[in-house]
Amino acid sequence: MTEELITCELTCPTSPVDKKANFDGVKIEGMDFEQPIFSVLSDGMKEQQQAGGKSSCDGDVEANSLGTTTQTDTESGIFSVECEQCVEHESELDWFCGTEQKLICSHCATVGPCHGHTVTPLVTRVTAVRNQLVDVCEKIQLKAQRIEKFIDQTLTAKEQKLQAAARRTREQVLAQVSAAREALEEEEQRLLEEVQREEERVEQCLLTQRAHWSQALSSLTQTRSGLVHTLTHTPDAQLVTSVQEIAERVEETDGVGEPCDTDQLNLNSSCSDSKLLRGLWAAAVLLGPNAYGSAYLKFDERTVSHLLSPSEDFCTLTFVHKKSRRSPAYDPARFDCWPNALGSLAMSSGTHSWVVDVGQSGAFKVGVCYSSLERKGSGNEARLGHNSKSWVLSHYDGHYSFCHAGKKVPLQVVSRPQRIGLLLDWPSQTLLFYEPDSFAVLYTVTHPFDGPLLPACAVTDRSITILH
């Protein structure tokens, strides 16, 4: 019997880091005892690893090594001080039967009822259970940190942005209404109430989110504390037989989802949208002394494509047919493939308006773009309205449309306008296209412009002119 026991022990790992352990059908690699999470255990874990590495192939020496390891583990807190005894063989229960999921002694494993079963030294089994428990606690801790960060940073920032957005929206509404207050008192009240309702909606969403994730964080913290207590205070024999209970507690934490930011947490800018207000406000601004904007606005010579011919004052662009095209000197600011040209005035504050006479041109584009718009190549990066850096009203083959980022919005135009007006209001981040004769609004876009804008035009039929 002794020879069989020694042979069995020689075939088993002498250190938990030498082989893979099986835990509920999951193969667990050898543990890295240098991980920071093992600080919840005492430094005796390293002593166990060192003691296990000194085992010999000699039966007696191995028995001594096992005895030393058991003593070290007991001192380190990995094993409980009190060791249970096998009732049948009156030997220490220092093995674990994976087949029957119970503690056994060495005699049970070699000649007893568990002979031929899958057995594991108790130290290996305990290490596997503890290592998995440590990993679970670490994951819970990381999830709790992410939720705490979401509450402290994202939700708090959202509240601040909500207040700023609501304040800007109110100011925008009040500024527009002030231009025609007598006719717009009811509209002003309606819009302010809409903004208030939207603000309250978002505020309620934020409060709901905060309450939900605070509860989730509390639940995770409580579960983690319980698991850490189990990890550090539960005797080994009880720990390895409590896997099902631990799994149920871990399953509860898996039900807590990951926090995410959604548009529901933002103020909807459309709550202040009013067709009546927008039209009257534009008319009030455009009928003022600066109806046509700056008298210095013209096309920047450096940007004019070789497909276009500028007038002497650089206020008119004429499309040039192939035979009459010139070859200007190379300039990095010049468009080399598309018939585009940019204005000379950069706009990053205040309110600006200008009018372009399109005459009988059957193909043109008027709008604005960032100064960083690509100038070279035939790709969409340099094509007005086909990238995220340009916003234009386009007329082609009798159809009008608003173009931005490659998307077209068809426009219903009652009569073909001879002139196209543009109004850029930087404080409200609004770009408006209108028909100057009737002041009919053709299209309005609100966008968070983040850089100076330049007037932009393109023409492939006849001429267009900036009016002063």
Side-chain angles (χ1 to χ4, degrees):
M1 180 182 299
T2 303
E3 293 178 355
E4 293 178 358
L5 175 60
I6 294 174
T7 302
C8 179
E9 290 179 346
L10 286 173
T11 60
C12 297
T14 60
S15 174
V17 299
D18 294 333
K19 300 292 182 179
K20 295 179 180 178
N22 185 287
F23 180 73
D24 287 346
V26 180
K27 293 184 179 179
I28 303 176
E29 300 289 343
M31 277 58 71
D32 180 6
F33 292 94
E34 298 300 326
Q35 296 179 7
I37 193 64
F38 274 86
S39 61
V40 297
L41 305 177
S42 65
D43 294 336
M45 185 73 79
K46 294 184 178 180
E47 297 179 12
Q48 171 196 348
Q49 183 180 10
Q50 295 172 357
K54 296 179 181 179
S55 59
S56 170
C57 294
D58 186 275
D60 295 336
V61 175
E62 182 178 29
N64 292 334
S65 299
L66 290 173
T68 302
T69 302
T70 304
Q71 181 180 2
T72 302
D73 293 337
T74 301
E75 294 173 355
S76 66
I78 295 180
F79 290 101
S80 59
V81 177
E82 297 180 1
C83 298
E84 299 183 15
Q85 300 290 320
C86 177
V87 177
E88 182 177 353
H89 302 102
E90 297 183 355
S91 298
E92 183 179 340
L93 297 176
D94 55 357
W95 288 74
F96 182 80
C97 177
T99 304
E100 297 187 8
Q101 294 290 305
K102 66 179 183 178
L103 296 175
I104 61 175
C105 68
S106 57
H107 297 287
C108 292
T110 54
V111 296
C114 293
H115 177 67
H117 291 182
T118 301
V119 296
T120 309
L122 183 58
V123 60
T124 303
R125 180 63 176 177
V126 170
T127 300
V129 174
R130 287 183 177 278
N131 203 36
Q132 189 177 54
L133 188 56
V134 166
D135 184 65
V136 169
C137 291
E138 190 176 47
K139 290 180 179 178
I140 294 176
Q141 180 182 11
L142 293 175
K143 181 180 288 187
Q145 290 175 350
R146 291 194 295 271
I147 293 177
E148 185 176 7
K149 181 179 179 181
F150 178 78
I151 293 175
D152 294 340
Q153 297 182 12
T154 303
L155 294 183
T156 301
K158 283 296 178 183
E159 288 181 340
Q160 296 174 353
K161 290 181 179 179
L162 169 62
Q163 295 173 1
R167 183 173 61 254
R168 290 193 301 267
T169 302
R170 289 193 189 96
E171 292 173 353
Q172 173 188 343
V173 170
L174 292 173
Q176 293 177 344
V177 170
S178 63
R181 181 168 298 277
E182 292 183 2
L184 299 174
E185 287 181 353
E186 292 184 2
E187 186 74 355
E188 176 188 8
Q189 186 63 33
R190 182 187 71 82
L191 291 173
L192 291 176
E193 290 176 355
E194 285 291 335
V195 173
Q196 183 66 29
R197 282 194 291 269
E198 179 65 9
E199 182 184 12
E200 292 174 355
R201 182 194 66 79
V202 179
E203 185 66 40
Q204 185 60 44
C205 288
L206 292 174
L207 290 175
T208 302
Q209 287 279 304
R210 182 177 290 276
H212 171 76
W213 291 113
S214 295
Q215 182 180 1
L217 178 61
S218 176
S219 176
L220 286 176
T221 302
Q222 183 178 359
T223 302
R224 180 181 178 277
S225 299
L227 291 175
V228 170
H229 183 273
T230 301
L231 173 68
T232 56
H233 293 82
T234 304
D236 302 332
Q238 182 180 350
L239 181 64
V240 297
T241 57
S242 303
V243 175
Q244 182 62 33
E245 178 183 354
I246 294 173
E248 292 176 356
R249 296 167 69 180
V250 171
E251 186 176 1
E252 294 178 0
T253 65
D254 292 337
V256 179
E258 291 288 343
C260 61
D261 189 3
T262 65
D263 289 337
Q264 293 297 319
L265 302 178
N266 298 323
L267 187 80
N268 185 0
S269 60
S270 64
C271 67
S272 64
D273 185 43
S274 169
K275 185 176 181 180
L276 173 62
L277 173 61
R278 186 171 57 247
L280 292 177
W281 163 76
V285 173
L286 295 171
L287 287 174
N290 297 320
Y292 292 126
S294 173
Y296 300 100
L297 177 60
K298 58 183 181 179
F299 293 110
D300 185 353
E301 179 183 5
R302 295 182 57 199
T303 67
V304 178
S305 168
H306 71 283
L307 303 175
L308 304 174
S309 175
S311 61
E312 292 184 359
D313 60 1
F314 289 97
C315 289
T316 300
L317 295 176
T318 302
F319 180 72
V320 180
H321 293 283
K322 190 173 183 180
K323 294 182 179 180
S324 305
R325 290 173 186 171
R326 58 189 176 88
S327 298
Y330 174 83
D331 194 311
R334 192 184 311 281
F335 292 93
D336 63 355
C337 289
W338 295 103
N340 303 338
L342 304 182
S344 57
L345 178 64
M347 301 166 288
S348 59
S349 63
T351 301
H352 304 266
S353 64
W354 65 100
V355 173
V356 178
D357 187 348
V358 296
Q360 298 299 317
S361 176
F364 64 84
K365 293 178 181 178
V366 293
V368 296
C369 71
Y370 288 130
S371 59
S372 59
L373 181 70
E374 181 62 47
R375 313 298 173 86
K376 307 301 180 183
S378 58
N380 287 335
E381 294 78 9
R383 190 178 182 186
L384 294 180
H386 287 261
N387 49 70
S388 61
K389 297 182 178 182
S390 57
W391 298 258
V392 297
L393 184 147
S394 173
H395 174 235
Y396 181 75
D397 196 22
H399 300 286
Y400 292 84
S401 61
F402 171 77
C403 304
H404 171 65
K407 298 180 180 179
K408 292 185 177 182
V409 179
L411 304 180
Q412 299 296 328
V413 178
V414 178
S415 60
R416 180 175 178 175
Q418 299 294 310
R419 298 181 297 168
I420 301 293
L422 295 91
L423 173 63
L424 175 64
D425 184 59
W426 192 267
S428 64
Q429 301 280 276
T430 301
L431 174 64
L432 182 144
F433 299 88
Y434 66 97
E435 204 280 304
D437 293 332
S438 63
F439 290 99
V441 176
L442 301 176
Y443 192 79
T444 303
V445 57
T446 300
H447 184 84
F449 301 115
D450 56 8
L453 294 174
L454 295 171
C457 295
V459 59
T460 56
D461 180 52
R462 304 189 184 186
S463 302
I464 59 174
T465 302
I466 295 177
L467 297 179
H468 294 140

